Amino acid sequence: MNEALRLLRKARTMVISTCGEDMWSAKVFYALEGGLVFLVEKNSRTLINLQKNNRAVFTIDFNTPDLFLQGTGTVEILGEPRDFDTERGTLLYKIPEDALFVKTGHVLIARLFPDVIRLSDFRAQPKKTDFHFRPEELKERKTFRYWRALRPWSFQQSVTSLIFGALVAFQTSFHIWNSLYLLFLSVLSLILVHGAFNAFSDYFDFELKTDKPDGMGSAGARVLIDRLIPTSNFLIYSTAVFLAGLGIGIYLIILRPEIVPFVIIGLIAGLLYGLPKLGLKRIALGDLAVFLAFGPGIFLGSLVLESGKISTPILLISFSLGMIIVAILHGNNWRDVKDDREAGVRTVSGILGERGSLIYYLILIWASYPLFIISVLLDHHLFPILGALLTIPWAVRLTNIARNPKNMKRNLLDMLTAQFTSLHIYFSVAFLLAFFLIARLFPTFIP
């Protein structure tokens, strides 16, 4: 049973077959919430069939003929997604793509409860096993809601930028254990403060109704719009997390007063970013705030914390990191121009318009490569960062998506760009780390 439930949670789509007026099959996204929750289009053949006969057959495969799930069950049409916080929230958290359909208003939310689920596994010894589940067993694996409220998936850009800066400084460091101690404390402080700023921004977006139930909702966290945490508890929790991170930051300032300017940049950008009315994100300064915080703020702050020296090549790297992280925000704002305008939020995307936003986006993702190359030409010791050039195929893919407004993936450009940005930094960090270790273990190997 554990294996069947694991596979149900792992998969994202199923083929559902119905027979009312006639036989019909459709492939849909689903999530587990007391059954298999999915969206059905209004006036579709699937819905018409289910209204006449709510019995259905479903199949879930994994792109291989030797492992699949299938079964029969009864489908209940719940109603409009906006009226079902839990089911809608679970579905959109697992399948953010479905927000595109929910926003149209042309879908209803439905739940299929299976009578039986058969697991067919022919990978080794052929076997077929039938399972019967209770409604409370058919649940997605829940992320701890208070951890989820911090949007931990966004930490990969900030933490890797910090590690990037530390590794550049490590090239000349002879006190590695002390450096690792400072790195650990700075990562912990950054996670807490970054998570708190995410939560503050989500709180203000929720209170000002910038986030809507049928949207992505706080970049995927959805803890407020899906009523997972009371707003009063949420604000107290966010403040406590911020103060904990700030306390560690103050300790680091005592150890290295040189980082004060970079801490100030990060705090000002974060605190002012999501404020009501005058928040930087609401007056078209959000891009600048993110650029300063994630580029010069985090990268240079980490480098200085580890006793590294700022130079022209180092500045170029920080600018590059800031730009590719701003590209994530721009992808989000570009998609949400209409919603932001209705909420009274001004963004760079709204000012530039469609054509200008495309050009701006392409500059943000492509400028990083020449900046890295120039940095290496100015300081050949930085050559491992050219590992980032391996991400050019991803940049080409993003370019093709961005240039085609009819491509449905354009609506997911922020998430796709986040994946690209993470890879960009990961490759740079991985190559830097590899050459750092080789230089330490085999000092005569690298000239």
Side-chain angles (χ1 to χ4, degrees), residues 154-331:
S154 69
F155 298 159
Q156 54 188 336
Q157 282 84 28
S158 58
V159 171
T160 47
S161 292
L162 186 144
I163 293 173
F164 197 165
L167 282 173
V168 172
F170 282 2
Q171 305 297 320
T172 57
S173 174
F174 298 96
H175 305 285
I176 189 63
W177 292 115
N178 185 55
S179 296
L180 289 175
Y181 171 68
L182 293 176
L183 178 61
F184 169 76
L185 289 180
S186 59
V187 168
L188 181 58
S189 177
L190 178 62
I191 286 176
L192 292 172
V193 173
H194 185 183
F197 286 157
N198 283 341
F200 286 143
S201 178
D202 293 351
Y203 174 81
F204 292 125
D205 282 347
F206 177 76
E207 288 295 306
L208 296 172
K209 296 182 170 50
T210 304
D211 277 344
K212 299 177 181 178
D214 58 359
M216 296 294 187
S218 304
R222 305 191 62 85
V223 294
L224 290 175
I225 59 176
D226 292 327
R227 316 294 179 181
L228 299 180
I229 300 176
T231 53
S232 57
N233 293 357
F234 186 88
L235 190 56
I236 293 171
Y237 165 70
S238 304
T239 303
V241 171
F242 171 72
L243 292 176
L246 182 62
I248 299 173
I250 292 172
Y251 173 67
L252 290 172
I253 289 175
I254 294 173
L255 296 179
R256 289 280 194 278
E258 301 89 337
I259 68 172
V260 168
F262 307 101
V263 173
I264 291 175
I265 289 174
L267 289 177
I268 291 177
L271 288 171
L272 298 183
Y273 181 78
L275 290 177
K277 296 183 180 180
L278 297 178
L280 297 177
K281 67 179 288 185
R282 304 177 195 283
I283 55 175
L285 292 177
D287 293 39
L288 178 62
V290 169
F291 173 80
L292 292 174
F294 285 85
I298 293 175
F299 176 78
L300 294 182
S302 175
L303 180 127
V304 171
L305 177 67
E306 302 292 352
S307 301
K309 303 299 181 183
I310 297 176
S311 61
T312 298
I314 298 301
L315 282 174
L316 294 178
I317 293 173
S318 73
F319 296 160
S320 174
L321 294 179
M323 291 173 72
I324 58 175
I325 294 176
V326 168
I328 303 172
L329 175 65
H330 178 61

Side-chain angles (χ1 to χ4, degrees), residues 59-167:
T59 303
I60 301 170
D61 65 39
F62 303 88
N63 298 318
T64 174
D66 56 5
L67 180 68
F68 56 92
L69 297 160
Q70 59 191 145
T72 59
T74 302
V75 178
E76 177 187 8
I77 306 299
L78 300 179
E80 297 287 345
R82 64 173 177 270
D83 298 327
F84 295 87
D85 291 337
T86 302
E87 290 80 5
R88 181 198 66 240
T90 301
L91 181 62
L92 297 188
Y93 182 65
K94 180 180 181 180
I95 315 290
E97 297 97 315
D98 261 352
L100 307 178
F101 303 104
V102 172
K103 289 187 74 169
T104 66
H106 296 153
V107 294
L108 299 173
I109 196 163
R111 175 163 41 217
L112 186 158
F113 186 76
D115 307 314
V116 60
I117 294 179
R118 171 168 291 182
L119 170 60
S120 298
D121 187 353
F122 304 112
R123 292 172 295 181
Q125 181 178 348
K127 60 180 179 180
K128 297 181 179 180
T129 310
D130 289 346
F131 297 96
H132 299 273
F133 290 97
R134 299 188 303 275
E136 59 270 19
E137 294 175 313
L138 292 176
K139 297 280 188 179
E140 295 292 338
R141 195 176 299 280
K142 298 292 186 181
T143 303
F144 179 51
R145 64 185 185 276
Y146 281 95
W147 173 242
R148 172 173 156 184
L150 303 180
R151 288 194 249 149
W153 49 87
S154 69
F155 298 159
Q156 54 188 336
Q157 282 84 28
S158 58
V159 171
T160 47
S161 292
L162 186 144
I163 293 173
F164 197 165
L167 282 173

Side-chain angles (χ1 to χ4, degrees), residues 379-445:
D379 184 352
H380 70 276
H381 293 100
L382 295 171
F383 74 92
I385 69 172
L386 295 181
L389 296 177
L390 294 173
T391 62
I392 287 178
W394 281 271
V396 172
R397 177 178 175 235
L398 289 175
T399 298
N400 292 333
I401 293 172
R403 292 176 61 192
N404 183 5
K406 295 182 179 180
N407 190 330
M408 288 191 65
K409 290 184 179 179
R410 248 277 290 269
N411 292 288
L412 304 172
L413 199 57
D414 55 336
M415 289 185 285
L416 297 174
T417 306
Q419 295 169 7
F420 160 77
T421 299
S422 299
L423 286 172
H424 196 291
I425 305 177
Y426 288 162
F427 280 127
S428 303
V429 167
F431 277 73
L432 270 172
L433 182 60
F435 279 91
F436 170 75
L437 293 175
I438 291 172
R440 288 296 188 272
L441 297 174
F442 307 101
T444 61
F445 184 77

